[in-house]
Each structure stands twice: as C-alpha cells, then as structure tokens.
C-alpha cells in the first residue's frame, strides 16, 4: 500500500528495520509481540537500522510512545480514507468528492456532513463509500441528506456562490458497497437505489437489514444480538436474507489491492463521471 506506516517525526521512515525493542533483540522466527505487551502510553526504546544510512546513521536508537491497537487502527483508517480522497481527486480530475461513512451513527454522519458540505461543496458529484460499515441507525437521515433537489441559486452580481438547498446534497452521487456491509449498511444502499438516487458499485451485500436488540446475561462478558424487526419493501418482500446485488459488480483483486489500487473506487469514479457527462 501507499504511504509510510510511521510518521517521520520520530526519525523513522519506510524501509527501516527494527532490530531491538527496549534492548531485547528481535530474533528470526520469534514473535516480537511480547516485547510490546502492556506498554501502552509508555516510552519504548527502538534500535533501528537504516539500509540507506551511513556510518553512525546506519544503526541508532529512537524513543517512541507506544499506542493501543485501537489507536493504531484509527490511524490506519485515517490513512485509508485520505488515500481514497486523493485517488478520487486524481481519477476525476478534481471533479468529484469522496466521503466514507464508517458507521451508521451520529459521529459518522457529522464527519460525512462536514466533508461533503465543506471541502466538497463545489464538486460536480460525490462518491459515498459504505464499505466495512457495521450498521446502526442512520439510513433515513443519510437518504434525506443525499436526496436534495435544487430549487434556487445564490447569484450576487451574476456570480454563482451557492445553491439551495444548502444543507443537503442535490447533485449526482454514487455508492460503493461490499460484503463487509452489515445491518443498516445493507438497508441504506437498498433504499438509495429503491428511490432512484443513484447507482451501486462493488460486491454483493448480505441480506442483514433487520433491527437487532443487544443483550447481556449475568455474566457481563456475554453480549449477543437478537434480530426482532424485519424490513419489508412496498412489494411485500423482506430484506432479511435477500442479498443486495450492485448495479456494477467489481471486486478488488487480491493481487492488485496490495499495490495501492482500489478497483471498486476506480469503477465508481468512472461510472459517475459518465452519468454526469451523459455518456
């Protein structure tokens, strides 16, 4: 994938090799995880080797502050989103915006809302990425937001500076989905296409659009969900177990994804641009 995993702030860059952790060598065929266990928020000493370094710069010690798996996951997620923003900008020649909806919840909606009406307010179209979204309860708000119909423009002295409505998206959009979508993240793309807002690109989403009640027992470590309310279309069909097929099927090939290419995103940009241009 593109981009370094570690910020250069600590003097570490891609290609360097960590030889020791707190003075203990990382040996071949040995798991190094125990050397980092229980060290969250603690200062850790790394001995690193730079293949491109010379003399005293080839091997040196660097101190870092250890973070948790969750914090690392958030950093990797932020990088994943940023790379897709950049790819959308590059592939569309600056014409399209990109927003990933991480979950069907208030925080995810606020993040998407800020991006779409902030950095992408002047774009011709929008790629809405819902991949790996585990659900929640956001479909109605997200659908209303993306289903705006323009009824006026703000034109001071003949210059267009805004559109109305200005609190919803009234231009073309497209949704990217995959097999990692679950629950409300199955319901949303289904409604999006059902109302004719736009097309779906990606892979099949399992039919999991049901309302689930989450419960615990006396043993609080036991946490489980019980599907209780199904979603039925106006045609009388249940969404549960009714897998959602995309309009354009694209799977990211295992041999291509590690190179940094996102084939599903590439196809979404291609399809949306063609729709905008009327091709």
């Amino acid at each position: 994938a593109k981009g370094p995993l570690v910020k250069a702030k600590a003097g570490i860059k891609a290609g360097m090799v960590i030889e020791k952790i707190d003075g203990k060598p990382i040996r071949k065929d040995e798991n190094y995880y125990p050397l980092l266990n229980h060290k969250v928020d603690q200062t850790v000493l790394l001995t690193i080797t730079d293949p491109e370094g010379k003399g005293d710069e080839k091997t040196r010690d660097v101190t870092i502050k250890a973070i948790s798996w969750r914090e690392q996951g958030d950093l990797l997620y932020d990088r994943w989103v940023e790379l897709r923003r950049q790819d959308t900008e590059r592939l569309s020649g600056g014409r399209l915006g990109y927003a990933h909806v991480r979950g069907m919840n208030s925080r995810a909606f606020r993040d998407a809302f800020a991006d779409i009406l902030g950095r992408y307010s002047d774009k011709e179209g929008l790629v809405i990425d819902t991949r790996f979204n585990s659900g929640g309860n956001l479909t109605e708000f997200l659908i209303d937001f993306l289903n705006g119909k323009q009824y006026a423009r703000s034109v001071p002295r003949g210059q267009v500076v805004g559109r109305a409505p200005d609190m919803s998206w009234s231009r073309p959009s497209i949704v990217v989905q995959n097999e990692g979508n679950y629950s409300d993240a199955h319901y949303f793309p289904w409604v999006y296409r059902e109302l004719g807002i736009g097309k779906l690109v990606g892979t099949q989403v399992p039919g999991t659009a049901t309302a689930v009640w989450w419960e615990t027992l006396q043993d609080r470590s036991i946490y489980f969900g019980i599907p209780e309310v199904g979603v039925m279309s106006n045609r009388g069909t249940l969404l549960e177990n009714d897998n959602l097929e995309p309009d354009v099927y694209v799977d990211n090939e295992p041999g291509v994804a590690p190179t940094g290419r996102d084939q599903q995103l590439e196809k979404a940009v291609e399809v949306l641009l063609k729709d905008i241009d009327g091709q």
Side-chain angles (χ1 to χ4, degrees):
K2 305 176 198 171
L5 278 172
V6 186
K7 295 278 188 181
K9 186 176 180 180
I12 303 174
K13 61 184 180 182
M16 289 185 173
V17 178
I18 300 175
E19 303 283 355
K20 299 178 182 178
I21 298 176
D22 285 335
K24 297 181 179 180
I26 300 176
R27 303 188 186 282
K28 184 179 179 180
D29 300 327
E30 285 187 7
N31 192 333
Y32 63 88
Y33 284 11
L35 301 179
L36 293 171
N37 204 19
H38 305 299
K39 292 187 177 180
V40 173
D41 293 330
Q42 295 182 24
T43 298
V44 176
L45 178 67
L46 303 179
T47 300
I48 60 174
T49 297
D50 183 357
E52 299 178 359
K54 297 179 180 179
D56 295 339
E57 292 297 318
K58 189 170 183 66
T59 300
R60 55 197 175 91
D61 290 338
V62 175
T63 56
I64 64 168
K65 184 179 179 180
I67 60 175
S68 66
W69 277 111
R70 181 181 293 276
E71 290 175 290
Q72 176 178 285
D74 286 341
L75 290 174
L76 290 171
Y77 170 76
D78 290 343
R79 187 185 71 167
W80 185 82
V81 170
E82 181 58 33
L83 290 174
R84 274 136 196 83
R85 284 177 180 154
Q86 295 173 11
D87 283 347
T88 301
E89 181 84 11
R90 174 179 56 81
L91 292 166
S92 70
R95 297 174 63 186
L96 305 180
Y98 169 90
H100 183 258
V101 184
R102 191 176 189 179
M104 304 303 274
N105 51 54
S106 177
R107 171 64 183 274
F109 182 67
R110 293 197 304 270
D111 289 345
F113 185 91
D115 276 345
I116 294 168
L117 295 187
R119 70 174 81 196
Y120 301 131
S121 61
D122 63 341
K123 300 300 184 183
E124 298 177 49
L126 184 67
V127 177
I128 302 294
D129 193 347
T130 64
R131 291 174 294 179
F132 311 108
N133 185 317
S134 61
N137 186 17
L138 189 64
T139 288
E140 184 174 346
F141 300 98
L142 199 52
I143 287 295
D144 287 345
F145 175 68
L146 293 171
N147 202 24
K149 305 298 180 185
Q150 181 175 318
Y151 51 81
R153 293 179 296 169
S154 301
V155 191
R157 295 178 296 280
Q159 181 181 6
V160 178
V161 296
R163 301 174 176 85
D166 60 2
M167 297 298 285
S168 62
W169 184 261
S170 57
R171 278 153 280 164
S173 61
I174 197 166
V175 165
V176 188
Q177 64 178 40
N178 71 358
E179 65 281 359
N181 288 42
Y182 176 75
S183 190
D184 202 43
H186 164 220
Y187 189 31
F188 164 70
W190 180 86
V191 177
Y192 179 87
R193 184 167 64 186
E194 187 79 359
L195 295 179
I197 300 175
K199 295 177 181 176
L200 309 177
V201 173
T203 54
Q204 182 190 78
V205 175
T208 52
T210 57
V212 176
W213 268 246
W214 294 92
E215 305 290 347
T216 59
L217 298 177
Q218 290 87 343
D219 181 350
R220 308 304 289 181
S221 66
I222 299 177
Y223 186 59
F224 58 95
I226 304 175
E228 295 196 12
V229 179
V231 177
M232 183 172 288
S233 72
N234 290 334
R235 296 180 294 279
T237 57
L238 279 171
L239 269 64
E240 185 175 14
N241 295 325
D242 187 10
N243 298 338
L244 180 62
E245 297 289 346
D247 296 291
V248 182
Y249 184 92
V250 182
D251 200 357
N252 286 331
E253 300 174 45
V256 175
T259 68
R261 283 185 57 195
D262 188 331
Q263 294 165 289
Q264 292 171 336
L265 179 63
E266 291 174 357
K267 179 57 70 172
V269 170
E270 176 189 332
V271 172
L272 183 54
L273 287 177
K274 286 183 177 179
D275 287 346
I276 292 174
D277 295 334
Q279 298 179 2

